[in-house]
Amino acid sequence: MSQRPESSPFRISARDIARRPGTQKLVSESFPAPAVLGTDVIGIPEGAELSLDVSLESVSEGIWVSGTATSQAVGECGRCLDEVRLQVAAPVQGLFALEPAEGDDEDEEPEDVFEFDGETVDLEEVVRDAVATQLPFTPLCRPDCPGLCDQCGARLDQDPDHAHDVIDPRWSALQSLTEEKES
Ligand SMILES: [Zn+2]
Ligand SMILES: [Zn+2]
């Protein structure tokens, strides 16, 4: 069995418009995500349906890609560990350049510039970056999720009056003092 990375659904032929500035093509495709897109806590799972709606515009530097990647991310609530599902519509854009960017100032290396071999654009990296910026660092099942009891792990959502008589009142006074300081 030979590996065929060139069959990645993220690779889109642009041969017909390459080096013909002013021409463009529209791509609208849906396919199962070939790998997880996201972080440890939330991401688009492998196999989840991913829709790409992008335009490829031929420009003098190469191909300018812009559009949207749409899918559903699945993660875990950072407070109660429940499953979190999040609709993602990530704005995708980047330049696929025929030549490496000019200038050798490393500090000014342009973002959103990718390699273009004159044949196909590989949108995997630009989509991966776009999706990552749409995902929360700490996913929550809802904004006011009360989370779990730090004493026993009970779901505070199902038991809002839940309490333990273990906190020394002097300690809780001290705790609210430090919280005031921090805020
Ligand atoms: Zn939660
Ligand atoms: Zn408890």
Side-chain angles (χ1 to χ4, degrees):
M1 296 284 264
S2 62
Q3 293 281 12
R4 291 191 59 213
E6 68 271 23
S7 68
S8 160
F10 286 109
R11 289 178 65 89
I12 293 167
S13 172
R15 194 187 316 179
D16 43 349
I17 59 167
R19 297 185 181 84
R20 291 174 57 204
T23 57
Q24 70 162 1
K25 82 190 248 184
L26 299 173
V27 175
S28 190
E29 278 180 16
S30 292
F31 51 82
V36 176
L37 299 168
T39 63
D40 288 345
V41 289
I42 188 162
I44 294 167
E46 183 180 342
E49 171 141 319
L50 181 78
S51 299
L52 268 185
D53 290 284
V54 291
S55 77
L56 276 54
E57 285 176 61
S58 192
V59 292
S60 54
E61 299 93 334
I63 304 287
W64 173 252
V65 175
S66 65
T68 312
T70 317
S71 188
Q72 190 179 56
V74 180
E76 197 174 68
C77 175
R79 294 187 193 148
C80 74
L81 313 182
D82 263 4
E83 189 180 80
V84 175
R85 287 179 175 268
L86 192 71
Q87 201 60 35
V88 178
V92 170
Q93 61 176 33
L95 176 68
F96 287 76
L98 285 160
E99 303 285 337
E102 281 177 39
D104 47 16
D105 189 345
E106 282 181 25
D107 293 336
E108 289 191 21
E109 193 171 307
E111 283 178 47
D112 301 337
V113 177
F114 305 88
E115 265 178 59
F116 176 48
D117 58 6
E119 298 277 317
T120 51
V121 291
D122 186 346
L123 301 183
E124 179 161 0
E125 195 182 340
V126 68
V127 169
R128 187 174 285 282
D129 290 354
V131 167
T133 61
Q134 294 292 306
L135 298 173
F137 287 114
T138 307
L140 296 175
C141 59
R142 55 172 222 255
D144 58 348
C145 171
L148 305 176
C149 171
D150 58 6
Q151 300 286 325
C152 71
R155 282 177 185 279
L156 298 177
D157 196 20
Q158 291 161 0
D159 190 1
D161 299 326
H162 184 93
H164 296 268
D165 288 328
V166 292
I167 297 176
D168 185 318
R170 284 167 299 171
W171 164 241
S172 82
L174 201 83
Q175 201 172 30
S176 59
L177 266 180
T178 44
E179 274 167 12
E180 273 171 29
K181 257 188 185 172
E182 282 167 4
S183 63

